[in-house]
């Protein structure tokens, strides 16, 4: 169950956070990142662009691609998640999703979707996907059965352009396309309960317009969060700090972080 610190967001507003970089790791600057997973010292990444889309396993520390599988040229890779011990990958406009053996990347199945594929995550026994709108959908890859799950709202208004997704402690974190903002969503209600401003994380002035923040990975074993973007040179391990709460007249000063938080990099927003 998503922990929301006793409030439900929505009309009552959302807590505002900023970030602190813990570590910086190398990332392939040619990778058009569409989905990212962290697991036992590896990243699993789905990259996009026609003729360039891949499924990859990457060493976290070196950025080296340890394993890769290219998609056929007619497919544009999108969101990626682990589901029931397998990897599941969406495609953009091709109305297809693929299922892979996690160990050898052998394709073991595929399924259909009726909308564009953007972000993908798993929550309990559900697969949850985004299509760039304010709606999140559940999808059963065994039957291709798809249905709207919830509309995402903040201060009572729909939040559009929801992109890459990640589940942390029962909550869904999401990138907002062409924005430096990540939101935390309560999947029971669709309310945005927290928001973090990632401005300045990748300050490269030469990056192209398409090189947007897009990639959230959470390692449940180490409780570390990582973020990156399309065509970014780095993946960043970050911790988050609250700036203000609904009803605040001004951002509060950032309190010193406890020693326990510095050593565990716990996510608490």
């Amino acid at each position: 169950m998503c922990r929301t610190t006793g409030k439900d967001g929505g009309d009552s507003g959302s807590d505002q956070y900023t970030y602190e970089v813990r570590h910086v790791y190398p990332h392939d600057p040619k990778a058009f990142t569409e989905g990212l997973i962290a697991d036992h010292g590896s990243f699993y990444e789905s990259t996009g662009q026609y003729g360039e889309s891949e499924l990859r396993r990457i060493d976290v520390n070196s950025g080296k691609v340890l394993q890769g599988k290219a998609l056929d040229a007619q497919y544009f890779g999108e969101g990626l998640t682990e589901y029931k011990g397998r990897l599941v990958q969406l495609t953009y406009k091709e109305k297809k999703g693929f299922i892979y053996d996690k160990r050898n990347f052998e394709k073991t199945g595929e399924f259909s979707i009726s909308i564009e594929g953007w972000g993908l995550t798993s929550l309990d026994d559900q697969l949850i996907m985004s299509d760039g709108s304010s709606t999140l959908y559940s999808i059963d890859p065994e039957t291709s059965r798809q249905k709207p799950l919830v509309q995402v709202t903040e201060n009572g208004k729909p939040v559009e352009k929801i992109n890459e997704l990640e589940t942390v402690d029962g909550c869904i974190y999401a990138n907002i396309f062409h924005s430096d903002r990540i939101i935390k969503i309560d999947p029971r209600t669709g309310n945005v309960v927290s928001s973090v401003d990632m401005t300045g994380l990748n300050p490269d002035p030469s990056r192209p317009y398409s090189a947007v923040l897009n990639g959230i990975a959470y390692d449940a074993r180490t409780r570390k969060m990582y973020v990156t973007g399309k065509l970014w040179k780095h993946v960043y391990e970050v911790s988050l700090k609250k700036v203000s709460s609904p009803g605040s007249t001004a951002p509060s000063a950032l309190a010193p972080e406890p020693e326990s938080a510095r050593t565990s990099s716990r996510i608490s927003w």
Side-chain angles (χ1 to χ4, degrees):
M1 181 178 293
C2 180
R3 295 198 298 266
T4 59
T5 62
K7 66 184 185 63
D8 63 358
D11 292 337
S12 64
S14 58
D15 289 337
Q16 304 300 307
Y17 282 72
T18 187
Y19 67 92
E20 180 176 312
V21 174
R22 292 300 187 191
H23 294 286
V24 179
Y25 302 94
H27 180 248
D28 179 2
K30 295 181 180 179
F32 204 75
T33 304
E34 298 289 0
L36 192 68
I37 304 170
D39 180 54
H40 290 83
S42 294
F43 291 130
Y44 292 86
E45 183 176 32
S46 172
T47 68
Q49 303 285 43
Y50 292 107
E52 300 177 11
S53 295
E54 288 188 336
L55 173 65
R56 296 175 168 184
R57 182 169 70 89
I58 301 162
D59 178 73
V60 169
N61 292 307
S62 68
K64 180 181 179 181
V65 177
L66 303 175
Q67 199 173 352
K69 184 179 183 69
L71 275 67
D72 290 342
Q74 70 266 33
Y75 294 115
F76 189 119
E78 280 284 350
L80 178 72
T81 195
E82 182 176 355
Y83 178 72
K84 297 184 178 180
R86 297 172 292 175
L87 296 174
V88 183
Q89 181 184 35
L90 294 178
T91 61
Y92 179 28
K93 294 186 176 182
E94 292 71 53
K95 308 291 178 69
K96 288 281 188 181
F98 300 119
I99 305 169
Y100 304 92
D101 185 291
K102 187 178 177 182
R103 296 168 299 174
N104 57 25
F105 285 8
E106 178 184 352
K107 189 168 74 172
T108 60
E110 60 182 61
F111 57 97
S112 299
I113 56 177
S114 63
I115 54 178
E116 290 184 355
W118 285 47
L120 187 68
T121 191
S122 58
L123 174 63
D124 300 326
D125 60 347
Q126 295 186 93
L127 268 183
I128 298 173
M129 61 176 288
S130 64
D131 68 342
S133 70
S134 62
T135 301
L136 297 181
Y137 300 82
S138 67
I139 176 78
D140 183 342
E142 303 295 338
T143 64
S144 294
R145 185 176 298 165
Q146 172 191 312
K147 63 180 181 180
L149 178 68
V150 71
Q151 184 182 47
V152 178
T153 60
E154 185 175 26
N155 300 320
K157 298 179 180 179
V159 180
E160 303 288 341
K161 298 185 178 179
I162 295 174
N163 201 359
E164 217 264 325
L165 306 174
E166 179 73 359
T167 298
V168 181
D169 295 335
C171 305
I172 296 176
Y173 292 22
N175 286 121
I176 306 301
F177 187 49
H178 273 293
S179 165
D180 287 326
R181 211 165 66 102
I182 293 174
I183 59 174
K184 174 183 174 182
I185 305 161
D186 184 340
R188 298 165 298 180
T189 63
N191 291 335
V192 173
V193 295
S194 303
S195 173
V196 59
D197 183 358
M198 306 299 293
T199 300
L201 183 62
N202 183 26
D204 182 1
S206 65
R207 62 177 176 168
Y209 178 73
S210 59
V212 296
L213 180 73
N214 197 55
I216 310 169
Y218 177 72
D219 190 325
R221 182 177 58 90
T222 61
R223 298 190 63 81
K224 292 180 179 180
M225 176 175 277
Y226 306 89
V227 294
T228 191
K230 300 176 181 180
L231 310 176
W232 284 24
K233 299 176 182 178
H234 300 102
V235 176
Y236 300 89
E237 179 194 331
V238 298
S239 60
L240 307 173
K241 293 183 177 182
K242 185 185 290 188
V243 178
S244 65
S245 298
S248 299
T249 57
S252 59
L254 296 182
E257 194 167 30
E259 182 64 31
S260 59
R262 288 199 292 271
T263 56
S264 66
S265 297
R266 289 182 63 88
I267 305 298
S268 59
W269 66 309

